[in-house]
Amino acid sequence: MWIEALIAVTMASALVVFVAPNKVAAKLSFALSLLPLAGSLWMYSTYEASGNALLAGSELAFETQFRWVTAGPYGLNWHVGLDGISMPLVALTTVLTSLALLASWTPIDERQSQFYGLMLFLEASLLGVFSALDFFLWFVFWEMVLVPMYVLIGVWGGPRRKYAAIKMFVYTNIASLVMFIGFIALVFGLGDSVTTLDMPAIAQALRAGELGSLGPVGADALRTAAFVAMFAGFAVKVPVVPFHTWLPDAHVEAPTPVSIMLAGVLLKMGTYALLRFNFTMLPDVAQQNAQIIALFAVVSVIYGAMLALAQSDLKRIVAYSSVSSMGYVILGLVAYTLYGMGGATFQMVAHGLISGLMFMAVGVIYNTTHTRMVSDMSGLASKMPITVAVLVAGAFGYMGLPLMAGFAAELFIFLGSFGAFAGSVWFTAAAMFGIVVVAGYLLFAMQRTLFGTFEVETDYEVGPAAFHDVAPLVVLILLVILLGVDPNIFYTMIQDAVNPLVPAAGGGV
Amino acid sequence: MAYQLPTWMSLGPTLALAVTGLLLLVLDSITPDRTDRGLLAGTAALGSLVAVGLAGWYLLAGTGEEPIRLYQNSLVVDTMALFFAFVFASVTTLVVVASYDYMRDHSYQAEYYALVLLAATGMTLMAAANSLAVVFVSLELSSLPSFALVAILKRNRGSVEAGLKYFLIGALSSAIFVYGVSLVYGVTGSLLLPEIASSVGGTDLTGVLGIGVLMILGGFAYKTASVPFHFWAPEAYEGAPAPVSAFLSSASKAAGFAAAFRVFTVAFPVDQLVTGATAGVDWVLAAQVLAVVTMTLGNFAAATQDEVKRMLAYSSIGHAGYVLIGLAALTGGDDQLVLAGGMAHLLVYGFMNTGAFLFIALTEYWSVGRYFEDFNGLATQAPFACAVMTVLLFNLAGLPVGGGFMSKYFLFGAAVGAGFWWLAAVGAINSALSLYYYSRVVKAMWIEEPSGDFDIESKPAGLYAALVAAAVVTVLVLPGFGPVWQYATDAAAALVA
């Protein structure tokens, strides 16, 4: 019942904070967010499980399953549990939420109790997404994420927040429906062989080839169509070029803590779902179309990096770089090797930490200087040394400097995808070139903003940031380095869950 | 020591409502000049709560598992009758509690509460009616007080006009309905639903029967605000005091469906009239056309409204279209799930829609204004009420923040299971469209800058309590959908199994 407790405590905290007075909301929400944080760390330390949550023969941690609603031949189950893929993401969610709450103290200056309440509600929904193993339950949490996100961007965002919030809502909600139709088509195609929406049951039935035809649509066509529908649905969330246009708008308009959650955790929902649904349930379709999927991945990497290079707004630079980084994840997944899939999962966590760090650092700079334009500032390093040091370290992490989390992740992905399928050499090589562009735009931006003589076009006093602004940055950079130095903290766990998916290891199709 | 209650006690919820309604009139006539408002509202709330309690108790105790037939079989108390009695009594309680604040400065306090309770009495009877005569009488018993309730703000032109319009269309529809009943009686020689069923199969007068059945369907279309008898609804809901709108659009509509479900499944069985050997009256086809047209028209009209209350009125027409799937996807085979889907949706809808209209009552109480723009920035002043409204609206739209998602999912899923995937598809598309206009309200409340200069100081306790209760139940139905679905399937089984 630990997962239920985790979600329930977070949800209850959200309610408490929502009705609390504005004055205490910030500190209260942070204090309450330490509960799920401690809970997830405790769960992590006692984690005992093996195998992949969706495949037979695996043992899950903290699993509970019971019949929720009985409806004729179909029933709904409450089924939650964690494996090596979801455990790190649950931990990531709780860590980032607490830090994001801390990072909200300075920028959020109105309607605090509502803001912090919604942030905690968002956390609860995200925990549900990563732990639910019944499709229906999962979908409930999946859609529930949108509601607080919509309000968070729409109310506390920048000047074009209404446009950004609605664009985000419409894009991702339509994507969810497309995905829903694709998945439900699979369930109906399975006919009587599954009687629940239990994800493990469906995954195993699909992998065993029990899919029949649905009306005039044959089994093979149904597989492909459902794969495409689900891929399209999740690709918007990731986001994959060309479905990415909602992301920069949402990022730029969102307040800093919301950007942290968006880049750090929400984008992972997309790749997590791709891994769970497309790549676990229909591995043969994924492998047959590996080149097409890899093309999407590589285009996202290069195009995202190119777009980032062209930006003059620090936050936009970081936003587009997310498109690029998430492209690596897709490339790792489609490789279907232990390193590729493991690296992709590792990259989800690593990118969560690093992008959270970058958005937070940009937010701190913005709070101080009230501008984000690269051309408006230079020489910040002399005025806010700690912030700048962390930002530089984070950027190095983004570029994949050794002994940082990003390096481990990208190395694994490239090792895994190189030679994994026909033409993968070229795709990998092209993706690796993305690193060069990343290093280019990050160094270029930093050189112009952070170093040189101090000059900022603003009416505000520029000085060192407050302690509660810098503290989360330091925590994050320490985590990034920790994961880079000792990837095994998560990697053995991840490997154990990914291994059964890999054909060469005997677990494939 | 176990003892058996007398069988007439199975009408407990109905009796509780009726007695309370009459008691209110007595209380008022003792001291007509200075009747205590709190006493009246308290009595009404208590009476409807007793009805809720009795209905809930009977459901839990399984009273309706073996249908109890009363008065020569013209009333039948089964799980379905109790299920709907629970819905009506719950909505009545919410409306009564909310009315305490809303009706503060209006005259005719006692009459108002009495009318609400008597209308609710008629609704519970509709759900239990097993004879076309009783259906008609109870339909009138629930309609006549409603006309007066809509027009109760008698110095408000909108209210009076709405009442008149509602009354005229109601009278016309009643005439159509009762003429249909007479035709059916002429063909079958009976008014009792089971007896009609046993003689419709062998009749030669298929044409007369068909016209009769269609006219009866028309009568129900009026009561449920379905196309083509829907046009009174936006006017009446808009003009009526908001708690009355809540009452009409939730309880009254559900009553229409309750009676329609029973009449059409018991008296005009699909396997005789539609798919059987002597098939000739395809009322399922008519229901399909009604369902598709009703949900599409309701949703599109809702999307083009400028006023929030009218938007909710049209959206409630859209919801009537969803519930009509319960009739439109009947096949004569295993129909239990489809009917149960319709009933479960009515239960959830009873709470979420009542809640939404009660929020409108709250804004009317605050004189916020009627248009979407008037709601701009309301969340800065009343964040709690706006959060509750947001939950209710997203529920109505079918986002999974509460039972609204579950009931729609099961309703559409049952339709697909029965082979009517296209009905489910039209429903799902409409449901996706509805997110547009529901989120307009959310956007106005939370995201837009305040345009009006409203200052909300008073926090009416009754309205708040009812609003919160409605939202809490709506949300709790998401984890607690199991028992709801269980009772809904039991209720459906009483009709078709």
Side-chain angles (χ1 to χ4, degrees), chain B residues 31 81 93 95 126 128 148 194 200 253-254 337 340 374 423 479:
Chain B
T31 52
T93 313
V95 168
M126 278 173 87
V200 279
K253 187 175 294 230
L337 290 182
D374 297 327
L423 269 177

Side-chain angles (χ1 to χ4, degrees), chain A residues 68 70-71 114 136 161-162 197, chain B residues 383 410 448-449 478-479 485:
Chain A
W68 183 15
T70 310
Q114 296 162 33
F136 192 86
R161 56 182 182 272
K162 290 175 205 165
L197 292 176
Chain B
F410 276 89
E448 299 290 347
E449 299 296 329
L478 178 65
W485 183 251

Side-chain angles (χ1 to χ4, degrees), chain A residues 422-507:
Chain A
S424 67
V425 176
W426 297 108
F427 287 114
T428 312
M432 284 166 96
F433 178 71
I435 298 186
V436 180
V437 187
V438 172
Y441 67 72
L442 284 176
L443 289 173
F444 188 42
M446 285 192 301
Q447 181 252 323
R448 284 185 292 167
T449 55
L450 307 182
F451 305 115
T453 50
F454 173 74
E455 191 180 340
V456 173
E457 286 176 27
T458 176
D459 303 332
Y460 295 85
E461 179 96 8
V462 177
F467 175 75
H468 61 81
D469 282 335
V470 181
L473 286 171
V474 175
V475 174
L476 276 176
I477 195 68
L478 289 179
L479 285 173
V480 170
I481 294 171
L482 181 67
L483 277 187
V485 174
D486 186 8
N488 276 341
I489 292 178
F490 281 141
Y491 194 64
T492 44
M493 189 188 273
I494 291 171
Q495 242 181 343
D496 179 45
V498 166
N499 201 20
L501 298 172
V502 177

